[in-house]
């Protein structure tokens, strides 16, 4: 007869798996569908900067709670697996279930320093450009925006977001295979 604890361990792993799966899908969808659709000859750099910022703020509202929830869920599952599983039991990758879930938690949380160090400078540049464009439009002035800079930064942000999606996908696979 399964105990409450057994059900909780499974549900905590499930939270981590679903959370990282959602994050992976979200980031990869932004990178491989939304960004290529935005970058094209039909949209000017000023419109691109404003549209990118709207997408960024709407898309990222649930990211932080999902990162925290998934990381905590994987750590909880890893702790419970360490306490209750047989140490000799390993996954197909050769790790114990506990180690694999802790690695999934670290991989999920690794996106935070990556984003702060490498993604934030690009995000900040694009946000400043978008704010300047909006201010100029409010004053009925024509904003000047470098097409090359905005397109390059949006493409860079798309590549960085794809890498974040791959990190989340790795955590998803690690969590899924630790069941």
């Amino acid at each position: 007869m399964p105990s409450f604890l057994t059900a909780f361990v499974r549900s905590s792993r499930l939270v981590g798996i679903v959370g990282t799966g959602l994050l992976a899908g979200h980031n990869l969808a932004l990178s491989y569908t939304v960004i290529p659709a935005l970058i094209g000859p039909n949209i000017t750099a000023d419109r691109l900067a404003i549209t990118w910022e709207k997408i960024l703020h709407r898309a990222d509202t649930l990211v932080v709670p999902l990162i925290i929830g998934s990381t905590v869920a994987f750590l909880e599952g890893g702790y419970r697996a360490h306490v209750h599983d047989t140490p000799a039991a390993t996954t197909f990758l050769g790790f114990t279930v506990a180690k694999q879930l802790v690695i999934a938690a670290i991989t999920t949380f690794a996106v935070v320093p990556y984003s702060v160090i490498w993604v934030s400078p690009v995000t900040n540049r694009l946000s400043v450009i978008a704010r300047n464009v909006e201010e100029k439009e409010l004053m009925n002035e024509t904003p000047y925006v470098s097409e090359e800079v905005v397109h390059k930064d949006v493409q860079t942000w798309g590549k960085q977001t794809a890498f974040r999606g791959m990190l989340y996908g790795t955590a998803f696979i690690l969590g899924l295979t630790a069941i």
Side-chain angles (χ1 to χ4, degrees), residues 5-154:
L5 183 60
T6 305
F8 182 73
V9 170
R10 288 187 182 140
S11 64
S12 70
R13 291 180 193 174
L14 184 63
V15 167
I17 292 166
V18 169
T20 54
L22 288 171
L23 288 166
H26 163 75
N27 280 272
L28 293 172
L30 278 174
S31 296
Y32 292 107
T33 60
V34 175
I35 298 301
L38 283 178
I39 297 175
N42 298 339
I43 188 166
T44 60
D46 55 339
R47 291 290 105 207
L48 176 60
I50 290 173
T51 305
W52 171 85
E53 182 153 52
K54 287 179 182 175
I55 289 170
L56 174 73
H57 292 303
R58 287 187 185 145
D60 282 351
T61 54
L62 292 176
V63 170
V64 173
L66 283 172
I67 290 172
I68 293 169
S70 297
T71 301
V72 170
F74 282 142
L75 288 174
E76 165 66 20
Y79 171 75
R80 297 290 180 189
H82 176 71
V83 171
H84 297 289
D85 284 355
T86 311
T90 59
T91 63
F92 80 98
L93 295 172
F95 298 120
T96 63
V97 172
K99 281 183 184 176
Q100 190 162 324
L101 289 172
V102 170
I103 292 170
I106 292 168
T107 305
T108 302
F109 195 75
V111 173
V112 174
Y114 171 77
S115 296
V116 168
I117 294 169
W118 284 286
V119 180
S120 289
V122 175
T123 303
N124 292 340
R125 271 195 311 271
L126 286 168
S127 293
V128 166
I129 291 170
R131 278 193 299 275
N132 288 341
V133 168
E134 289 172 341
E135 288 173 5
K136 294 280 187 183
E137 287 178 349
L138 286 174
M139 294 187 285
N140 291 327
E141 295 178 16
T142 304
Y144 170 75
V145 178
S146 171
E147 297 275 338
E148 184 179 326
V149 169
V150 172
H151 282 266
K152 180 179 170 267
D153 280 349
V154 170

